[in-house]
Amino acid sequence: MALTGLEIFKLLPKTNCKKCGMPTCLAFAMQLAQKRAKLEDCPDVSEEAKKVLAAAAAPPMRKVVFGSGDNQVQVGQETVMFRHEEKFYNPTVLAVTVSDKLAGEELKKRIESVNSLQFERVGTRIAVNALAVMNDSGSAAQFAETCAKAKELSSLALILVSDSPEAVTAAIGKTADAVPLIAQATADTAEAMAKIAKENNCPLVAKADSIEALAELSEKIKSQGVEDIVLNLEAANLRDELYDFSRMRALSLKKAFRPLGYPTISFVTDSDVNQQAAIAASLICKYSSIVVVDTAQPYVLLPMLTIVMNIFSDPQKPVQVEPKVYPIGEPDANSPLMFTTNFSLTYYTVESDVEASRVPSYILVVDTEGTSVLTAYSGDKLNEKIVADAMAKYNAESLVKHRKLIIPGYVAVMSGKLEEATNWEVMVGPRESSMLPKYLQEFWK
Ligand code: SF4
């Protein structure tokens, strides 16, 4: 938890020697509290004070990274209980199980089905990010083989799920370079699992059936030299899990209780896949950092991914599309060119209405900081200069032979100035984008 200026002042030498560039130690402490100065600027600060201040500056919840390359994932490092207080930072990682009882074609098919769980939603790619290999066979050799196959056939981040240190040792021998998450250590296996995690630089899951036992276990693992820990709380039911996750987050963020300051993992393996979707949805909202499900059905995964996308979007930033020219259909030099704003909802509404018109067209998306047409115009984020600049930037002149630009009906008022700024003929389109199909078919000749 951050220290106040006065608390920091108590840790300083209090000689007012000015070597830090401040007139007094108190002034320096105030600057430190506001993160406007660096502790290194005081040459006389004691080692003890350095330790206390460094610990206070550490984030209340640790960030944990696993996987490698483009599919490396990170979880944790959250700072608030509720999204509206600021935002949530690291989206919940969704993982799908692969049993080590599978072999040959069956195993290959399962891994490929998980790899293919990718979707596009409002212009953004959303996907399952991890494979959780389950040691269902109980055999160390079989587990190691399956983990090796998963690494070979998938670039997704790996989670090695086994309570057996022998099985994890065998599997890590074949996958350590992929930096898997090792799941999991219990009170009985903490030492052995921590040793494997430390030697291979991999994060480790700690599993216990109460908050108190989990705090004790994470401390034990940390004392073995493993810093990157993920917490798995075994709860009797979903209600208890949600309640305990909320308590854990409050204790780590509000009370800076370090033993619980780690991301969390949940295993959702209800035999009814629809139930898995409902349980996973609740856990994504509060507060599971990694959710492992055992279905690879796209219709079950898509809603989960949609929830992750929504919960982890920044509430202060509208969802935006990239400003540029989007061809709809196969437009040519005689096709209509129209503009809209980069607010996602606006763009996708216009896009689907243009598609429905069956008139191949170009849509120029103007950067209005993610605001809709009227909001942008009234806030001066949309005017003739901004549109003219966007036309120049995205080379509108090279796209079409004609010099006609269709503008949204709501900003008809800017047509005169826009004609002057661009030397193009401005055609005022309909106010509602739903009228675009009729408009394009009637007016675009
Ligand atoms: Fe105080 Fe250190 Fe600054 Fe000197 S250098 S005034 S001891 S904070």
Side-chain angles (χ1 to χ4, degrees):
M1 193 184 292
L3 295 179
T4 64
L6 274 181
E7 286 165 334
I8 296 172
F9 172 65
K10 287 180 192 159
L11 297 165
L12 295 176
K14 304 187 200 68
T15 57
N16 297 332
C17 72
K18 301 186 177 57
K19 287 183 217 163
C20 59
M22 294 287 155
T24 61
C25 293
L26 182 59
F28 182 65
M30 293 302 174
Q31 292 293 310
L32 271 182
Q34 291 169 27
K35 303 199 185 322
R36 291 194 189 140
K38 295 194 296 287
L39 188 61
E40 302 83 82
D41 293 341
C42 171
D44 302 329
V45 72
S46 69
E47 286 306 313
E48 186 54 30
K50 274 185 198 165
K51 262 194 212 159
V52 177
L53 289 167
M61 185 190 291
R62 191 171 175 85
K63 177 173 79 180
V64 172
V65 178
F66 64 101
S68 59
D70 291 346
N71 289 303
Q72 188 180 69
V73 292
Q74 60 181 47
V75 288
Q77 213 174 32
E78 301 300 340
T79 55
V80 290
M81 295 292 295
F82 304 104
R83 177 173 167 268
H84 63 260
E85 292 174 328
E86 190 181 325
K87 68 171 190 172
F88 295 153
Y89 283 90
N90 287 308
T92 301
V93 166
L94 281 183
V96 175
T97 58
V98 173
S99 172
D100 72 349
K101 283 186 172 173
L102 297 177
E105 270 309 299
E106 258 192 322
L107 175 61
K108 191 169 171 242
K109 251 175 89 178
R110 174 69 175 185
I111 295 172
E112 283 169 354
S113 67
V114 181
N115 288 342
S116 68
L117 291 167
Q118 305 180 19
F119 311 88
E120 189 179 312
R121 186 168 178 271
V122 282
T124 302
R125 179 184 166 275
I126 52 177
V128 161
N129 332 71
L131 271 178
V133 184
M134 312 295 287
N135 185 203
D136 296 329
S137 70
S139 152
Q142 204 164 319
F143 184 54
E145 276 315 305
T146 311
C147 290
K149 204 71 189 164
K151 191 186 125 187
E152 180 195 324
L153 297 177
S154 176
S155 57
L156 297 177
L158 286 179
I159 305 175
L160 312 185
V161 188
S162 174
D163 287 338
S164 153
E166 293 72 36
V168 171
T169 302
I172 206 88
K174 295 180 185 276
T175 57
D177 58 337
V179 198
L181 170 65
I182 298 173
Q184 46 216 341
T186 59
D188 293 339
T189 59
E191 272 184 36
M193 289 289 197
K195 189 165 178 284
I196 304 167
K198 185 159 187 254
E199 284 174 0
N200 293 281
N201 273 324
C202 293
L204 176 61
V205 174
K207 177 175 80 168
D209 59 7
S210 72
I211 292 182
E212 294 71 22
L214 206 45
E216 206 175 299
L217 182 56
S218 74
E219 285 292 88
K220 188 172 175 185
I221 291 170
K222 193 177 171 201
S223 71
Q224 307 280 314
V226 177
E227 299 278 348
D228 291 332
I229 299 168
V230 176
L231 305 176
N232 179 9
L233 179 69
E234 283 192 307
N237 53 50
L238 177 62
R239 190 193 64 175
D240 288 358
E241 192 169 3
L242 294 172
Y243 179 72
D244 284 344
F245 271 2
S246 299
R247 274 181 67 208
M248 285 162 62
R249 178 166 288 207
L251 284 166
S252 62
L253 299 190
K254 305 277 183 203
K255 304 285 180 193
F257 184 58
R258 299 282 177 202
L260 294 176
Y262 298 101
T264 54
I265 186 169
S266 308
F267 289 84
V268 181
T269 51
D270 196 285
S271 55
D272 176 352
V273 294
N274 298 334
Q275 196 64 12
Q276 281 189 38
I279 294 170
S282 303
L283 290 165
I284 290 163
C285 295
K286 287 196 181 306
Y287 286 109
S288 195
S289 315
I290 305 168
V291 174
V292 182
V293 295
D294 70 2
T295 175
Q297 289 288 349
Y299 83 92
V300 181
L301 269 302
L302 179 56
M304 295 181 204
L305 290 165
T306 304
I307 291 168
V308 173
M309 186 183 184
N310 287 342
I311 293 287
F312 286 85
S313 63
D314 185 341
Q316 293 181 44
K317 271 197 200 154
V319 186
Q320 303 177 21
V321 294
E322 186 189 348
K324 63 177 186 178
V325 175
Y326 291 79
I328 309 297
E330 291 180 4
D332 59 25
N334 297 310
S335 299
L337 170 70
M338 66 202 80
F339 85 76
T340 189
T341 74
N342 71 328
F343 178 41
S344 261
L345 285 184
T346 301
Y347 171 74
Y348 282 104
T349 307
V350 172
E351 184 206 52
S352 71
D353 289 328
V354 173
E355 260 173 9
S357 77
R358 299 183 181 280
V359 179
S361 306
Y362 293 106
I363 303 177
L364 167 66
V365 169
V366 177
D367 186 357
T368 56
E369 299 171 27
T371 52
S372 62
V373 172
L374 272 183
T375 310
Y377 183 72
S378 54
D380 205 26
K381 288 176 182 153
L382 180 64
N383 56 38
E384 69 284 357
K385 182 168 179 334
I386 290 170
V387 177
D389 287 350
M391 288 172 70
K393 183 171 178 184
Y394 301 112
N395 239 337
E397 288 202 352
S398 69
L399 293 175
V400 290
K401 282 195 296 202
H402 59 78
R403 292 293 175 259
K404 292 178 186 170
L405 176 68
I406 301 170
I407 70 170
Y410 277 118
V411 288
V413 65
M414 71 190 278
S415 48
K417 284 186 178 172
L418 187 55
E419 282 191 337
E420 276 172 32
T422 59
N423 281 326
W424 282 46
E425 179 188 337
V426 167
M427 296 173 66
V428 177
R431 286 184 159 216
E432 300 301 333
S433 119
S434 57
M435 299 306 289
L436 268 170
K438 191 167 182 280
Y439 175 88
L440 288 173
Q441 279 155 10
E442 279 180 13
F443 292 95
W444 191 261
K445 303 286 180 212

